[in-house]
Amino acid sequence: LERQLLMQNQMRERQTAMQIAWTREFLKYFGTFFGLATIGLTAGAIRKKNPGVLLPIVPLSFIFAYQYDMGYGTLLQRMKGEAENILDTESTLLELPKGPLTYEDLEKIRRSQSKFFIEK
């Protein structure tokens, strides 16, 4: 059992590391896009003398800030803290509909899906 727990924890850590690495890689591409879009929109706003052209920068900046926070900031620590708070104070939100799954429930499902099972 201890080996299984260690293996599950290792898999979770590796998956989290992959998620952070993916976010950091995505941030490089999105940051480049964001920078070029900002320059282009600013140039367009100056050329057309219309500040409304700059409007798309607002939602793009929120996306950029979120991705940066996920890759290099404290978002994961804040999410972990909130998850711990939910586990401690709002555990009723985590209950499954119709309660936890039992062996008997699984057997009923298996029997109903089996074409060859004949009930006695």
Side-chain angles (χ1 to χ4, degrees), residues 14-102:
R14 290 176 186 200
Q15 288 172 343
T16 303
M18 282 297 293
Q19 181 182 6
I20 294 169
W22 182 90
T23 300
R24 288 179 178 179
E25 192 64 27
F26 178 80
L27 186 62
K28 291 174 189 174
Y29 288 94
F30 187 77
T32 303
F33 166 74
F34 179 71
L36 291 173
T38 302
I39 291 168
L41 290 171
T42 303
I46 291 171
R47 190 173 301 138
K48 292 186 177 189
K49 297 180 182 173
N50 180 5
V53 175
L54 294 173
L55 207 54
I57 293 176
V58 175
L60 290 175
S61 64
F62 279 99
I63 296 169
F64 182 77
Y66 174 82
Q67 291 296 329
Y68 183 84
D69 195 19
M70 180 74 163
Y72 296 101
T74 59
L75 179 62
L76 289 176
Q77 286 92 358
R78 293 192 317 267
M79 287 171 51
K80 180 182 169 198
E82 184 62 26
E84 289 172 352
N85 181 46
I86 290 168
L87 288 169
D88 292 341
T89 61
E90 302 177 63
S91 60
T92 56
L93 296 175
L94 306 174
E95 293 174 4
L96 293 171
K98 297 185 178 182
L101 197 57
T102 64

Coordinates of all heavy atoms in Angstrom, one line a residue, residues 14-102:
R14 N 4.5 14.6 -11.2 CA 5.0 14.7 -12.6 C 3.9 15.4 -13.4 O 4.2 16.2 -14.3 CB 5.3 13.3 -13.1 CG 6.6 12.8 -12.4 CD 6.9 11.4 -12.9 NE 8.0 10.9 -12.1 CZ 8.7 9.8 -12.5 NH1 8.5 9.2 -13.6 NH2 9.7 9.4 -11.8
Q15 N 2.7 15.1 -13.2 CA 1.6 15.7 -14.0 C 1.5 17.2 -13.7 O 1.3 18.0 -14.6 CB 0.2 15.0 -13.6 CG 0.1 13.7 -14.2 CD -1.2 13.0 -13.8 OE1 -1.8 13.3 -12.8 NE2 -1.5 11.9 -14.5
T16 N 1.7 17.6 -12.4 CA 1.7 19.0 -12.1 C 2.9 19.7 -12.7 O 2.7 20.8 -13.2 CB 1.7 19.2 -10.5 OG1 0.6 18.5 -10.0 CG2 1.6 20.6 -10.1
A17 N 4.0 19.0 -12.7 CA 5.2 19.6 -13.3 C 5.0 19.8 -14.8 O 5.4 20.8 -15.4 CB 6.5 18.8 -13.0
M18 N 4.4 18.8 -15.4 CA 4.1 19.0 -16.9 C 3.1 20.1 -17.1 O 3.3 20.9 -18.1 CB 3.5 17.7 -17.4 CG 4.5 16.6 -17.7 SD 5.7 17.1 -18.9 CE 4.7 17.1 -20.4
Q19 N 2.1 20.3 -16.3 CA 1.2 21.4 -16.4 C 1.9 22.7 -16.3 O 1.6 23.6 -17.1 CB 0.1 21.3 -15.4 CG -1.0 22.3 -15.5 CD -2.1 22.2 -14.4 OE1 -2.0 21.4 -13.5 NE2 -3.1 23.1 -14.5
I20 N 2.8 22.9 -15.3 CA 3.5 24.1 -15.1 C 4.4 24.4 -16.3 O 4.5 25.5 -16.9 CB 4.3 24.1 -13.8 CG1 3.3 24.1 -12.6 CG2 5.2 25.3 -13.7 CD1 4.0 23.8 -11.3
A21 N 5.1 23.3 -16.8 CA 6.0 23.4 -17.9 C 5.2 23.8 -19.2 O 5.6 24.7 -20.0 CB 6.7 22.1 -18.2
W22 N 4.0 23.2 -19.4 CA 3.2 23.6 -20.5 C 2.8 25.0 -20.5 O 2.8 25.8 -21.5 CB 1.9 22.7 -20.6 CG 1.1 23.0 -21.8 CD1 1.2 22.4 -23.0 CD2 0.0 23.9 -21.8 NE1 0.2 22.9 -23.8 CE2 -0.5 23.9 -23.2 CE3 -0.6 24.8 -20.9 CZ2 -1.6 24.7 -23.6 CZ3 -1.6 25.6 -21.4 CH2 -2.1 25.5 -22.6
T23 N 2.4 25.5 -19.3 CA 2.0 26.9 -19.1 C 3.1 27.8 -19.4 O 2.9 28.9 -20.1 CB 1.4 27.1 -17.7 OG1 0.3 26.2 -17.4 CG2 1.0 28.5 -17.4
R24 N 4.3 27.5 -19.0 CA 5.4 28.4 -19.2 C 5.8 28.4 -20.7 O 6.1 29.5 -21.2 CB 6.7 27.9 -18.4 CG 6.5 28.2 -16.9 CD 7.7 27.7 -16.1 NE 7.5 28.0 -14.7 CZ 8.4 27.7 -13.8 NH1 9.5 27.0 -14.1 NH2 8.1 28.0 -12.5
E25 N 5.7 27.3 -21.4 CA 5.9 27.3 -22.8 C 4.8 28.0 -23.6 O 5.1 28.8 -24.5 CB 6.0 25.8 -23.3 CG 6.5 25.6 -24.7 CD 8.0 26.1 -24.8 OE1 8.7 26.0 -23.9 OE2 8.3 26.5 -26.0
F26 N 3.6 27.9 -23.2 CA 2.5 28.6 -23.8 C 2.7 30.1 -23.6 O 2.4 30.9 -24.5 CB 1.1 28.1 -23.2 CG 0.0 28.9 -23.7 CD1 -0.6 28.6 -24.9 CD2 -0.6 29.9 -23.0 CE1 -1.7 29.3 -25.4 CE2 -1.7 30.7 -23.5 CZ -2.2 30.3 -24.7
L27 N 3.2 30.5 -22.4 CA 3.4 31.9 -22.1 C 4.4 32.5 -23.0 O 4.2 33.7 -23.4 CB 3.8 32.0 -20.6 CG 3.9 33.4 -20.1 CD1 2.6 34.1 -20.1 CD2 4.5 33.4 -18.7
K28 N 5.4 31.8 -23.4 CA 6.4 32.3 -24.4 C 5.7 32.7 -25.7 O 5.9 33.8 -26.2 CB 7.5 31.3 -24.6 CG 8.4 31.1 -23.4 CD 9.3 29.9 -23.8 CE 10.1 29.5 -22.5 NZ 10.9 28.3 -22.7
Y29 N 4.9 31.8 -26.2 CA 4.2 32.1 -27.5 C 3.1 33.2 -27.3 O 3.0 34.1 -28.1 CB 3.6 30.8 -28.0 CG 4.6 29.9 -28.6 CD1 5.1 28.8 -27.8 CD2 5.1 30.0 -29.9 CE1 6.1 28.0 -28.3 CE2 6.0 29.1 -30.4 CZ 6.5 28.1 -29.5 OH 7.5 27.2 -30.0
F30 N 2.3 33.1 -26.3 CA 1.3 34.0 -26.1 C 1.9 35.4 -25.7 O 1.3 36.4 -26.2 CB 0.3 33.6 -24.9 CG -0.8 34.5 -24.8 CD1 -1.9 34.4 -25.7 CD2 -0.9 35.5 -23.8 CE1 -3.0 35.3 -25.6 CE2 -2.0 36.3 -23.7 CZ -3.0 36.2 -24.6
G31 N 3.0 35.4 -25.0 CA 3.6 36.7 -24.7 C 4.1 37.4 -26.0 O 4.0 38.6 -26.1
T32 N 4.7 36.6 -26.9 CA 5.1 37.2 -28.2 C 3.9 37.7 -28.9 O 3.9 38.8 -29.5 CB 5.8 36.1 -29.0 OG1 6.9 35.6 -28.2 CG2 6.3 36.7 -30.3
F33 N 2.8 36.9 -29.0 CA 1.6 37.4 -29.7 C 1.1 38.6 -29.0 O 0.7 39.6 -29.7 CB 0.5 36.3 -29.6 CG -0.8 36.8 -30.0 CD1 -1.2 37.1 -31.3 CD2 -1.8 36.9 -29.0 CE1 -2.4 37.5 -31.7 CE2 -3.1 37.4 -29.3 CZ -3.4 37.7 -30.7
F34 N 1.0 38.7 -27.7 CA 0.5 39.8 -26.9 C 1.3 41.1 -27.2 O 0.8 42.1 -27.5 CB 0.5 39.5 -25.4 CG 0.0 40.6 -24.6 CD1 -1.4 41.0 -24.6 CD2 0.8 41.3 -23.8 CE1 -1.8 42.0 -23.8 CE2 0.4 42.4 -23.0 CZ -1.0 42.7 -23.0
G35 N 2.6 40.9 -27.2 CA 3.5 42.1 -27.5 C 3.3 42.6 -28.9 O 3.2 43.8 -29.1
L36 N 3.3 41.7 -29.9 CA 3.1 42.1 -31.3 C 1.7 42.8 -31.5 O 1.5 43.8 -32.2 CB 3.2 41.0 -32.2 CG 4.7 40.4 -32.3 CD1 4.7 39.2 -33.2 CD2 5.6 41.5 -32.9
A37 N 0.7 42.2 -30.8 CA -0.7 42.7 -30.9 C -0.8 44.1 -30.3 O -1.4 45.0 -30.8 CB -1.7 41.8 -30.3
T38 N -0.1 44.3 -29.2 CA -0.1 45.6 -28.5 C 0.5 46.6 -29.4 O 0.0 47.7 -29.5 CB 0.6 45.5 -27.1 OG1 -0.1 44.5 -26.3 CG2 0.6 46.8 -26.4
I39 N 1.7 46.3 -29.9 CA 2.4 47.2 -30.8 C 1.5 47.6 -32.0 O 1.4 48.7 -32.4 CB 3.7 46.7 -31.2 CG1 4.7 46.6 -30.0 CG2 4.4 47.5 -32.3 CD1 6.0 45.8 -30.3
G40 N 0.9 46.5 -32.6 CA 0.1 46.7 -33.8 C -1.1 47.6 -33.5 O -1.5 48.5 -34.3
L41 N -1.8 47.2 -32.4 CA -3.0 48.0 -32.1 C -2.7 49.4 -31.7 O -3.5 50.3 -32.0 CB -3.7 47.3 -30.9 CG -4.4 45.9 -31.3 CD1 -4.9 45.2 -30.1 CD2 -5.5 46.2 -32.3
T42 N -1.6 49.6 -31.0 CA -1.2 51.0 -30.6 C -0.9 51.8 -31.9 O -1.3 53.0 -32.0 CB 0.0 51.0 -29.7 OG1 -0.3 50.2 -28.5 CG2 0.4 52.4 -29.3
A43 N -0.1 51.2 -32.8 CA 0.2 51.9 -34.1 C -1.1 52.2 -34.8 O -1.3 53.3 -35.4 CB 1.1 51.0 -34.9
G44 N -2.0 51.2 -34.9 CA -3.3 51.5 -35.5 C -4.1 52.6 -34.9 O -4.8 53.4 -35.6
A45 N -4.1 52.6 -33.6 CA -4.9 53.6 -32.8 C -4.3 55.0 -33.1 O -5.0 56.0 -33.3 CB -4.9 53.3 -31.3
I46 N -2.9 55.1 -33.2 CA -2.3 56.4 -33.5 C -2.6 56.8 -34.9 O -2.9 58.0 -35.2 CB -0.8 56.3 -33.2 CG1 -0.5 56.1 -31.7 CG2 0.0 57.5 -33.7 CD1 0.9 55.8 -31.3
R47 N -2.4 55.8 -35.8 CA -2.6 56.2 -37.2 C -4.1 56.6 -37.5 O -4.3 57.6 -38.3 CB -2.3 54.9 -38.1 CG -2.2 55.3 -39.6 CD -1.7 54.1 -40.4 NE -0.3 53.7 -40.0 CZ 0.1 52.4 -39.8 NH1 -0.8 51.5 -40.1 NH2 1.3 52.2 -39.4
K48 N -5.0 55.9 -36.9 CA -6.4 56.2 -37.2 C -7.0 57.3 -36.2 O -8.1 57.7 -36.4 CB -7.3 55.0 -37.1 CG -7.0 54.0 -38.2 CD -8.0 52.8 -38.2 CE -7.7 51.9 -39.4 NZ -8.7 50.9 -39.5
K49 N -6.2 57.6 -35.2 CA -6.6 58.6 -34.2 C -7.9 58.1 -33.5 O -8.8 58.9 -33.3 CB -6.7 60.0 -34.8 CG -5.4 60.5 -35.3 CD -5.6 61.9 -35.9 CE -4.2 62.3 -36.4 NZ -4.3 63.6 -37.1
N50 N -8.0 56.8 -33.3 CA -9.2 56.2 -32.6 C -8.7 55.3 -31.5 O -8.2 54.2 -31.7 CB -9.9 55.4 -33.7 CG -11.2 54.8 -33.1 OD1 -11.5 55.0 -32.0 ND2 -11.8 54.0 -33.9
P51 N -8.8 55.8 -30.2 CA -8.4 55.0 -29.1 C -9.2 53.7 -28.9 O -8.8 52.8 -28.2 CB -8.5 55.9 -27.9 CG -9.5 57.0 -28.3 CD -9.4 57.1 -29.8
G52 N -10.3 53.6 -29.5 CA -11.1 52.3 -29.4 C -10.5 51.1 -30.0 O -10.8 50.0 -29.7
V53 N -9.5 51.4 -30.9 CA -8.8 50.2 -31.5 C -8.0 49.5 -30.4 O -7.7 48.3 -30.6 CB -7.8 50.8 -32.6 CG1 -7.0 49.7 -33.2 CG2 -8.7 51.4 -33.7
L54 N -7.6 50.2 -29.3 CA -6.8 49.6 -28.2 C -7.7 48.6 -27.4 O -7.1 47.9 -26.5 CB -6.2 50.6 -27.4 CG -5.2 51.5 -28.1 CD1 -4.8 52.7 -27.1 CD2 -4.0 50.7 -28.4
L55 N -9.0 48.6 -27.5 CA -9.8 47.8 -26.7 C -9.5 46.3 -26.6 O -9.6 45.8 -25.4 CB -11.3 48.0 -27.1 CG -12.4 47.8 -26.1 CD1 -12.1 48.7 -24.9 CD2 -13.7 48.1 -26.7
P56 N -9.1 45.6 -27.6 CA -8.7 44.2 -27.5 C -7.6 43.9 -26.5 O -7.4 42.8 -26.1 CB -8.4 43.8 -28.9 CG -9.1 44.7 -29.8 CD -9.1 46.0 -29.0
I57 N -6.8 45.0 -26.2 CA -5.7 44.8 -25.3 C -6.1 44.4 -23.9 O -5.5 43.6 -23.2 CB -4.8 46.0 -25.2 CG1 -4.1 46.2 -26.6 CG2 -3.7 46.0 -24.1 CD1 -3.3 47.5 -26.7
V58 N -7.3 44.9 -23.5 CA -7.8 44.6 -22.1 C -8.0 43.1 -21.9 O -7.4 42.6 -20.9 CB -9.1 45.4 -21.9 CG1 -9.7 45.1 -20.5 CG2 -8.8 46.9 -22.0
P59 N -8.8 42.4 -22.7 CA -9.0 41.0 -22.4 C -7.7 40.2 -22.6 O -7.4 39.2 -21.8 CB -10.1 40.5 -23.3 CG -10.2 41.5 -24.4 CD -9.7 42.8 -23.8
L60 N -6.9 40.6 -23.6 CA -5.6 39.9 -23.8 C -4.7 40.1 -22.6 O -3.9 39.1 -22.3 CB -4.9 40.4 -25.1 CG -5.6 40.1 -26.4 CD1 -4.9 40.8 -27.5 CD2 -5.6 38.6 -26.6
S61 N -4.7 41.2 -21.9 CA -3.9 41.4 -20.8 C -4.3 40.5 -19.6 O -3.5 40.1 -18.8 CB -3.8 42.9 -20.4 OG -5.1 43.3 -20.0
F62 N -5.6 40.3 -19.5 CA -6.1 39.4 -18.4 C -5.6 38.0 -18.7 O -5.2 37.3 -17.7 CB -7.6 39.4 -18.3 CG -8.1 40.6 -17.5 CD1 -8.6 41.7 -18.2 CD2 -8.1 40.6 -16.1 CE1 -9.1 42.8 -17.5 CE2 -8.6 41.6 -15.4 CZ -9.1 42.8 -16.1
I63 N -5.7 37.5 -19.9 CA -5.2 36.2 -20.2 C -3.7 36.1 -20.0 O -3.2 35.1 -19.4 CB -5.5 35.9 -21.7 CG1 -7.1 35.8 -21.9 CG2 -4.9 34.5 -22.1 CD1 -7.5 35.8 -23.4
F64 N -3.0 37.1 -20.4 CA -1.5 37.1 -20.2 C -1.2 37.1 -18.7 O -0.3 36.3 -18.3 CB -0.9 38.3 -20.8 CG 0.6 38.4 -20.7 CD1 1.4 37.6 -21.5 CD2 1.2 39.2 -19.8 CE1 2.8 37.6 -21.4 CE2 2.6 39.2 -19.7 CZ 3.4 38.4 -20.5
A65 N -1.9 37.9 -17.9 CA -1.6 37.9 -16.4 C -2.0 36.6 -15.8 O -1.2 36.1 -14.9 CB -2.5 39.0 -15.8
Y66 N -3.1 35.9 -16.2 CA -3.4 34.6 -15.7 C -2.3 33.6 -16.0 O -1.9 32.8 -15.1 CB -4.8 34.2 -16.2 CG -5.1 32.8 -15.8 CD1 -5.7 32.5 -14.5 CD2 -4.9 31.7 -16.6 CE1 -6.0 31.2 -14.1 CE2 -5.2 30.4 -16.2 CZ -5.8 30.2 -15.0 OH -6.0 28.9 -14.6
Q67 N -1.9 33.5 -17.3 CA -0.9 32.6 -17.7 C 0.4 32.8 -16.9 O 1.1 31.9 -16.5 CB -0.7 32.6 -19.2 CG -1.9 32.1 -20.0 CD -2.1 30.6 -19.7 OE1 -1.3 29.8 -19.4 NE2 -3.4 30.2 -19.8
Y68 N 0.8 34.1 -16.8 CA 2.0 34.4 -16.0 C 1.9 33.9 -14.6 O 2.8 33.3 -14.0 CB 2.3 35.9 -16.1 CG 3.6 36.2 -15.4 CD1 4.8 36.1 -16.1 CD2 3.7 36.6 -14.1 CE1 6.0 36.4 -15.5 CE2 4.9 36.9 -13.5 CZ 6.1 36.8 -14.2 OH 7.2 37.0 -13.6
D69 N 0.8 34.2 -14.0 CA 0.6 33.8 -12.6 C 0.6 32.3 -12.4 O 1.1 31.8 -11.5 CB -0.8 34.4 -12.1 CG -0.9 34.3 -10.6 OD1 0.1 34.2 -9.9 OD2 -2.0 34.5 -10.1
M70 N 0.1 31.6 -13.4 CA 0.1 30.1 -13.4 C 1.5 29.6 -13.5 O 1.9 28.7 -12.9 CB -0.9 29.6 -14.5 CG -0.9 28.1 -14.5 SD -1.9 27.5 -13.2 CE -2.3 25.9 -13.8
G71 N 2.3 30.2 -14.4 CA 3.6 29.7 -14.7 C 4.7 30.1 -13.8 O 5.6 29.3 -13.5
Y72 N 4.6 31.3 -13.3 CA 5.7 31.9 -12.5 C 5.2 32.5 -11.2 O 6.1 32.9 -10.4 CB 6.4 33.0 -13.3 CG 7.1 32.4 -14.5 CD1 6.6 32.5 -15.8 CD2 8.3 31.7 -14.4 CE1 7.2 32.0 -16.9 CE2 9.0 31.2 -15.5 CZ 8.4 31.4 -16.8 OH 9.0 30.8 -17.9
G73 N 3.9 32.6 -11.0 CA 3.4 33.3 -9.8 C 3.0 32.4 -8.7 O 3.5 31.2 -8.6
T74 N 2.0 32.8 -8.0 CA 1.6 32.1 -6.8 C 0.2 31.4 -7.0 O -0.4 31.1 -6.0 CB 1.6 33.0 -5.6 OG1 0.7 34.1 -5.8 CG2 2.9 33.5 -5.2
L75 N -0.3 31.3 -8.2 CA -1.6 30.8 -8.4 C -1.8 29.4 -7.9 O -2.8 29.1 -7.3 CB -1.9 30.8 -9.9 CG -3.3 30.3 -10.3 CD1 -4.4 31.1 -9.7 CD2 -3.5 30.3 -11.8
L76 N -0.8 28.5 -8.1 CA -0.9 27.2 -7.6 C -1.0 27.1 -6.1 O -1.7 26.3 -5.5 CB 0.2 26.3 -8.2 CG 0.1 26.0 -9.7 CD1 1.4 25.2 -10.1 CD2 -1.1 25.2 -10.0
Q77 N -0.2 27.9 -5.4 CA -0.3 28.0 -4.0 C -1.6 28.5 -3.5 O -2.2 27.9 -2.5 CB 0.8 28.8 -3.4 CG 2.2 28.2 -3.4 CD 3.0 28.6 -4.7 OE1 2.4 29.4 -5.5 NE2 4.2 28.2 -4.8
R78 N -2.2 29.5 -4.2 CA -3.5 30.0 -3.8 C -4.6 28.9 -4.0 O -5.5 28.8 -3.2 CB -3.8 31.3 -4.5 CG -2.9 32.4 -4.1 CD -3.4 33.8 -4.6 NE -3.8 33.8 -6.0 CZ -3.1 34.1 -7.1 NH1 -1.8 34.4 -6.9 NH2 -3.6 34.2 -8.3
M79 N -4.5 28.2 -5.2 CA -5.4 27.2 -5.5 C -5.3 26.0 -4.4 O -6.4 25.5 -4.0 CB -5.2 26.6 -6.9 CG -5.6 27.5 -8.0 SD -5.1 27.0 -9.6 CE -5.6 25.4 -9.8
K80 N -4.1 25.7 -4.0 CA -3.9 24.6 -3.0 C -4.5 25.1 -1.7 O -5.2 24.3 -1.0 CB -2.4 24.4 -2.8 CG -2.1 23.3 -1.8 CD -0.6 23.1 -1.6 CE -0.4 22.3 -0.4 NZ 1.0 22.4 0.0
G81 N -4.3 26.3 -1.3 CA -4.9 26.8 -0.1 C -6.4 26.8 -0.1 O -7.1 26.4 0.9
E82 N -7.0 27.2 -1.2 CA -8.5 27.2 -1.4 C -9.0 25.8 -1.3 O -10.0 25.5 -0.7 CB -8.9 27.9 -2.7 CG -10.4 28.0 -2.8 CD -11.1 28.8 -1.8 OE1 -10.4 29.7 -1.1 OE2 -12.3 28.6 -1.5
A83 N -8.3 24.8 -2.0 CA -8.7 23.4 -2.0 C -8.7 22.9 -0.5 O -9.6 22.2 -0.1 CB -7.8 22.6 -2.9
E84 N -7.6 23.2 0.2 CA -7.6 22.8 1.6 C -8.7 23.4 2.4 O -9.3 22.7 3.3 CB -6.2 23.2 2.2 CG -5.1 22.4 1.7 CD -3.7 22.8 2.1 OE1 -3.6 23.9 2.7 OE2 -2.7 22.1 1.8
N85 N -9.0 24.7 2.2 CA -10.2 25.3 2.8 C -11.5 24.6 2.5 O -12.3 24.4 3.4 CB -10.2 26.8 2.4 CG -11.4 27.5 3.2 OD1 -11.5 27.4 4.4 ND2 -12.1 28.3 2.4
I86 N -11.7 24.2 1.3 CA -12.9 23.5 0.9 C -13.0 22.1 1.6 O -14.0 21.8 2.1 CB -13.0 23.3 -0.6 CG1 -13.2 24.7 -1.3 CG2 -14.1 22.3 -1.0 CD1 -13.0 24.7 -2.8
L87 N -11.8 21.4 1.6 CA -11.8 20.1 2.3 C -12.1 20.3 3.8 O -12.8 19.4 4.4 CB -10.4 19.5 2.1 CG -10.1 18.9 0.7 CD1 -8.7 18.6 0.6 CD2 -11.0 17.7 0.4
D88 N -11.6 21.4 4.4 CA -11.8 21.6 5.9 C -13.2 22.1 6.2 O -13.7 21.6 7.2 CB -10.7 22.5 6.4 CG -9.3 21.9 6.4 OD1 -9.2 20.7 6.3 OD2 -8.4 22.7 6.4
T89 N -13.7 23.0 5.4 CA -14.9 23.7 5.9 C -16.2 23.4 5.0 O -17.3 23.7 5.5 CB -14.7 25.2 5.9 OG1 -14.4 25.7 4.6 CG2 -13.6 25.6 6.8
E90 N -16.0 22.9 3.8 CA -17.1 22.7 2.9 C -17.1 21.3 2.3 O -17.4 21.1 1.2 CB -17.1 23.8 1.8 CG -17.1 25.2 2.3 CD -17.0 26.2 1.1 OE1 -18.0 26.2 0.3 OE2 -16.1 26.9 1.0
S91 N -16.8 20.3 3.2 CA -16.7 19.0 2.6 C -18.0 18.4 2.1 O -18.0 17.5 1.3 CB -16.1 18.1 3.7 OG -17.0 18.1 4.9
T92 N -19.1 19.0 2.5 CA -20.4 18.5 1.9 C -20.5 18.7 0.4 O -21.2 18.0 -0.2 CB -21.6 19.2 2.6 OG1 -21.5 20.6 2.5 CG2 -21.6 18.8 4.1
L93 N -19.8 19.7 -0.1 CA -19.8 19.9 -1.5 C -19.1 18.8 -2.3 O -19.3 18.7 -3.5 CB -19.0 21.3 -1.9 CG -19.6 22.5 -1.3 CD1 -18.7 23.7 -1.6 CD2 -21.0 22.8 -1.9
L94 N -18.3 18.0 -1.6 CA -17.6 17.0 -2.3 C -18.3 15.6 -2.3 O -17.8 14.7 -2.9 CB -16.2 16.8 -1.5 CG -15.4 18.1 -1.4 CD1 -14.1 17.8 -0.6 CD2 -15.0 18.6 -2.8
E95 N -19.4 15.6 -1.6 CA -20.1 14.3 -1.6 C -20.7 13.9 -3.0 O -21.2 14.8 -3.7 CB -21.3 14.4 -0.6 CG -20.8 14.5 0.9 CD -21.9 14.8 1.8 OE1 -23.1 14.8 1.4 OE2 -21.6 15.0 3.0
L96 N -20.6 12.6 -3.3 CA -21.1 12.2 -4.6 C -22.6 12.0 -4.5 O -23.2 11.7 -3.5 CB -20.5 10.8 -4.9 CG -19.0 10.7 -5.1 CD1 -18.6 9.3 -5.2 CD2 -18.7 11.5 -6.4
P97 N -23.3 12.2 -5.7 CA -24.8 12.0 -5.7 C -25.0 10.5 -5.4 O -24.3 9.7 -5.8 CB -25.1 12.3 -7.1 CG -24.0 13.1 -7.7 CD -22.8 12.7 -6.9
K98 N -26.0 10.3 -4.6 CA -26.4 8.9 -4.2 C -25.4 8.3 -3.3 O -25.3 7.1 -3.1 CB -26.7 8.0 -5.3 CG -27.9 8.5 -6.2 CD -28.2 7.4 -7.3 CE -29.4 7.8 -8.1 NZ -29.7 6.8 -9.1
G99 N -24.5 9.1 -2.7 CA -23.5 8.5 -1.8 C -22.3 7.9 -2.5 O -22.2 7.8 -3.7
P100 N -21.4 7.3 -1.7 CA -20.2 6.7 -2.3 C -20.6 5.4 -3.1 O -21.6 4.7 -2.7 CB -19.3 6.4 -1.1 CG -20.2 6.4 0.0 CD -21.3 7.3 -0.3
L101 N -19.8 5.1 -4.1 CA -20.0 3.9 -4.9 C -19.6 2.6 -4.1 O -18.6 2.6 -3.5 CB -19.2 4.0 -6.2 CG -19.6 3.1 -7.3 CD1 -21.0 3.2 -7.7 CD2 -18.7 3.3 -8.5
T102 N -20.5 1.6 -4.0 CA -20.2 0.4 -3.3 C -19.9 -0.7 -4.2 O -20.2 -0.7 -5.4 CB -21.3 0.0 -2.4 OG1 -22.5 -0.3 -3.2 CG2 -21.7 1.2 -1.4

